[in-house]
Structures are given as C-alpha cells and as structure tokens.
C-alpha cells in the first residue's frame, strides 16, 4: 500500500516525504520482529515507556519510515512523519491499512466499570441464536471463526482492533462486539471508530492512579466518549451517575433498569438452583411506542442480582436490532462466559 493511502484522512505537521513509498505493515512495538524499509514504525508515548526513545534501534534493524510527535534524531535516509498525536495517527493509519473494516461490519461497543465481559457474551449468544456469525474482543481474548488470541488488554491497541476486525469480516462475521475500556478511550485505541451500538453498563470510582486516570472526573469523561462515537446508546438508569453519563451524548440514548422506569426493565427476579446449576429468572418489560408493553419471561444460567442488569442490557441491544424474543430467550439461556460465575463440574453434593 502506498504511504499516501495510509495517510488518508490524516494531516501531518510536515510534508517533506515521498507519499509514493510502499508500506507493507505498521509496527508500534520496537520488540516486533517485522523489519525493513517498507515498515512504518509509530512512536507511542505511554505511562512507562516512550517509543520515541527506541526509534534509532528500530532504524538499525532496517526500518526507514517513522511517525512521531517528538523530534527524532535519525540519519538522513529516514522518513519521519510528524503528527500532533501518534496514538490517533496509529488508529487512523491502521484503519486505512486494513481497509477500514469497522465500516463493513455491525459494531457494538460495551463500556462500564463492571459487567463488560458478561454483557458482551450475552449479546454474542443472542445474536448467534438468531443465526448471526459473531466476533468478539475483550478481557478473555479475541475470538472469531477458528482464531483465538489473548493480548492481555480489555481493549486492544488500535492496530490490533483493525487487524482482527478485518479478520472477522474476511471470516464472514456479521457482528463485531468489543469491550471499550476507559483506558481504550484515554489512549485513543478506539479513535475514529463509530459504533452502531454503544452500551454503558454502570459506573463507580475505579482505575484511578499514576498509570491510569488522574481522577474520577477523567475516568468519567473517558467512559462518556462511547456515546460520542455511537449511533445509538443504551445505559443503566439505576446508576447514580446516569444523568452525568448522558449529559453530552451525541446519539439517542435508551435506558435499561431493574429499579426505575426505563425502556427495558428486569422485574420479579427469582434465584434458584437444581442439581448442577444456579439459575436466575425474571420478567423483561419492554416499552413500545404505543405504550403496549411487551412482557417476556427470561431464564439465565448465571446467578446474582447483577446478572439482571447484564441480561437486560443485552436484551435492549438485541430488540433494537430486530431480534425476536424467541432468539433472545434461547441465547440468554445458552450464554456462557468463561471465568464469570462459571459452574465447575464436580461430583459432590454442592455446587462450585
């Protein structure tokens, strides 16, 4: 791919480079084994290290094209593209490299302090019960088709998001679901992505510290970016920060709840067990434009009051995508989230 194609939609701070240069791939980690004059190395500044410090060592491996936001001292045959923010550059350049795959697939982003993983997998199970092929990115890995990769991040780096979204599209996936963490927004990993659906599970003080968010306001403001990058949003009306979450949303926002009146509400919960499972049952009340509410009995194989919120959030997404309740019920009953309230099979008179 020509450098000029990589730079589509990007305005560099300098123009002294050959836009006809061939670029085979993008690298953002100096430990990456991909080297050569056709590699574009992006210098990222992080909490613990700075990619600008490794530019010369990458040059010595054979790389000749760099993107930077700080001055680099490299030999004259190096091409340096200076930009205001290399993290935003990486996000846009990676999207261009892989053909902007998020525009070719239905995208769902889920954020919140708790419940991201469970909600993502409940949504995935519903869509699969409806016959859709789904790819997912999150805390426990990236899954689609026969592909599995664990990157150790709730939200992967932007390059990996677009690389694997392209993989999902090529594998025939209809839907991409991803956990959109506050760190993902803070570090511009999701920059440039417009989600078809955004889900905000809940909010409480967390991830505040020297290597994360400087304070709770910063944490909230990063989380809120989801509703500035979504076509429609869904949020928890019971959360104490509800009004603050939606106050500057750029998309219409619908609500789900267990306590308050909302567009989708989980009521009359029953928690029970049988010989091998803990169960949750509840009634979902869906508001309709005619105020003729739809009531549906839902069964989960995951216990806990919090499961009501995760499930009703998944229902809200599914119903707004036109999925009938028969698939919703089937999907939620089959939903399995590895490591999240997972039943361990044992031959004892109790459940683990």
């Amino acid at each position: 791919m020509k450098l000029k194609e990589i730079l589509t939609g990007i305005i560099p701070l300098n123009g002294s480079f050959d836009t006809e240069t061939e670029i085979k791939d993008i690298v953002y980690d100096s430990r990456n084994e991909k080297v050569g004059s056709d590699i574009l190395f992006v210098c990222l500044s992080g909490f613990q290290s700075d990619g600008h410090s490794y530019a010369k060592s990458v040059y010595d491996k054979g790389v000749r094209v760099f993107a930077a936001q700080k001055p680099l001292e490299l030999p004259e045959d190096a091409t340096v593209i200076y930009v205001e923010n290399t993290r935003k550059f990486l996000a846009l350049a990676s999207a261009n490299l892989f053909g902007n795959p998020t525009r070719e697939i239905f995208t769902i982003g889920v954020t919140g302090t708790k419940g991201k993983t469970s909600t993502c997998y409940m949504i995935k199970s519903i869509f699969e019960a409806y016959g859709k092929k789904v790819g997912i990115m999150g805390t426990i890995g990236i899954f689609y088709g026969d592909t599995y990769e664990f990157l150790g991040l709730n939200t992967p780096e932007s390059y990996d998001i677009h690389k694997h979204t392209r993989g999902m599209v090529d594998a025939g996936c209809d839907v991409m679901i991803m956990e959109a963490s506050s760190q993902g927004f803070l570090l511009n990993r999701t920059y440039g992505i417009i989600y078809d659906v955004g889900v905000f599970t809940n909010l409480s003080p967390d991830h505040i510290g020297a290597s994360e968010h400087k304070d709770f306001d910063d944490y909230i403001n990063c989380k809120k970016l989801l509703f500035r990058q979504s076509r429609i949003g869904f949020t928890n009306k019971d959360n104490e920060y509800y009004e603050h979450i939606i106050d500057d949303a750029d998309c219409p926002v619908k609500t789900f709840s267990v306590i308050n009146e909302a567009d989708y509400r989980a009521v009359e919960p029953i928690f029970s067990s049988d010989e091998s499972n803990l169960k949750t049952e509840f009634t979902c009340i869906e508001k309709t434009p005619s105020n003729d509410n739809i009531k549906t009995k839902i069964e989960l194989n995951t216990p806990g009051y919090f499961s009501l919120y995760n499930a009703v959030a998944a229902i809200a997404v599914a119903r707004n995508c036109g999925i009938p309740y028969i698939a919703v019920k089937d999907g939620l009953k089959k939903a399995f989230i590895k490591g999240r309230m997972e039943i361990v099979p044992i031959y004892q008179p109790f459940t683990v």
Side-chain angles (χ1 to χ4, degrees):
M1 180 177 284
K2 301 288 186 184
L3 180 57
K4 63 183 177 183
E5 296 174 278
I6 295 287
L7 297 178
T8 301
I10 299 171
I11 303 176
L13 298 178
N14 64 319
S16 56
F17 47 83
D18 183 5
T19 60
E20 295 298 314
T21 301
E22 283 289 339
I23 299 297
K24 181 180 180 180
D25 206 350
I26 297 172
V27 169
Y28 61 87
D29 187 334
S30 61
R31 297 166 295 184
N32 196 303
E33 295 180 357
K34 294 177 183 176
V35 295
S37 59
D38 55 0
I39 296 295
L40 167 59
F41 181 77
V42 182
C43 303
L44 299 182
S45 296
F47 292 114
Q48 298 177 338
S49 63
D50 188 343
H52 294 80
S53 302
Y54 300 98
K56 181 60 167 62
S57 66
V58 173
Y59 173 90
D60 291 340
K61 293 179 181 179
V63 175
R64 292 295 179 268
V65 186
F66 299 80
Q69 64 187 52
K70 301 175 184 178
L72 296 182
E73 294 185 5
L74 295 172
E76 291 185 358
D77 64 334
T79 295
V80 182
I81 304 162
Y82 287 105
V83 294
E84 186 175 337
N85 185 310
T86 50
R87 288 191 173 277
K88 291 182 178 180
F89 174 90
L90 179 63
L92 297 179
S94 299
N96 290 334
L97 176 69
F98 292 107
N100 292 287
T102 60
R103 300 177 187 175
E104 300 179 41
I105 193 169
F106 192 84
T107 56
I108 301 172
V110 180
T111 198
T113 304
K114 305 295 181 186
K116 294 185 293 296
T117 301
S118 295
T119 301
C120 283
Y121 277 84
M122 286 181 175
I123 295 171
K124 176 178 181 288
S125 189
I126 293 172
F127 272 85
E128 288 176 338
Y130 189 53
K132 298 296 182 180
K133 193 171 182 180
V134 182
I136 193 164
M137 302 185 194
T139 307
I140 56 180
I142 299 172
F143 298 86
Y144 58 93
D146 297 325
T147 297
Y148 166 70
E149 186 169 352
F150 178 72
L151 297 175
L153 297 170
N154 301 58
T155 305
E157 191 54 77
S158 56
Y159 173 92
D160 300 296
I161 290 175
H162 293 288
K163 171 188 172 182
H164 285 291
T165 303
R166 170 49 59 194
M168 292 177 190
V169 171
D170 292 347
C173 291
D174 306 292
V175 182
M176 182 272 277
I177 306 170
M178 67 177 292
E179 294 182 39
S181 68
S182 59
Q183 286 278 292
F185 289 116
L186 177 67
L187 298 176
N188 293 298
R189 293 173 185 158
T190 64
Y191 184 76
I193 297 174
I194 301 299
Y195 297 99
D196 292 291
V197 175
V199 181
F200 206 127
T201 61
N202 51 62
L203 184 71
S204 59
D206 203 350
H207 300 290
I208 298 168
S211 62
E212 295 188 274
H213 298 279
K214 60 182 180 180
D215 52 36
F216 187 46
D217 281 343
D218 183 58
Y219 178 58
I220 293 175
N221 290 330
C222 285
K223 287 285 192 187
K224 288 168 62 174
L225 288 174
L226 177 64
F227 289 162
R228 304 189 75 175
Q229 291 180 222
S230 299
R231 293 189 170 90
I232 187 170
F234 298 90
T235 194
N236 180 354
K237 198 173 182 181
D238 293 347
N239 190 262
E240 63 178 304
Y241 300 102
Y242 163 70
E243 294 289 350
H244 193 42
I245 289 167
I246 67 170
D247 62 9
D248 58 357
D250 288 344
C251 65
V253 178
K254 293 189 175 184
T255 57
F256 56 87
S257 168
V258 174
I259 300 170
N260 295 293
E261 288 297 322
D263 297 302
Y264 296 86
R265 189 178 175 196
V267 301
E268 301 170 355
I270 299 173
F271 304 102
S272 61
S273 63
D274 57 25
E275 292 182 356
S276 59
N277 290 298
L278 299 172
K279 293 184 177 182
T280 301
E281 297 173 89
F282 66 92
T283 298
C284 177
I285 301 177
E286 175 186 343
K287 281 188 177 180
T288 65
S290 62
N291 291 319
D292 184 19
N293 293 342
I294 301 172
K295 295 184 178 182
T296 308
K297 292 286 186 180
I298 302 293
E299 183 179 331
L300 309 173
N301 286 321
T302 52
Y305 193 76
F306 57 86
S307 293
L308 302 175
Y309 285 100
N310 298 335
V312 77
I315 292 170
V317 172
R319 291 293 294 157
N320 273 265
C321 292
I323 297 179
Y325 270 108
I326 188 170
V328 170
K329 294 175 68 172
D330 185 37
L332 286 176
K333 191 170 183 179
K334 293 177 179 177
F336 170 75
I337 308 100
K338 185 174 177 60
R340 302 298 190 274
M341 303 306 290
E342 181 181 349
I343 301 297
V344 180
I346 59 172
Y347 298 100
Q348 299 291 338
F350 50 83
T351 300
V352 176

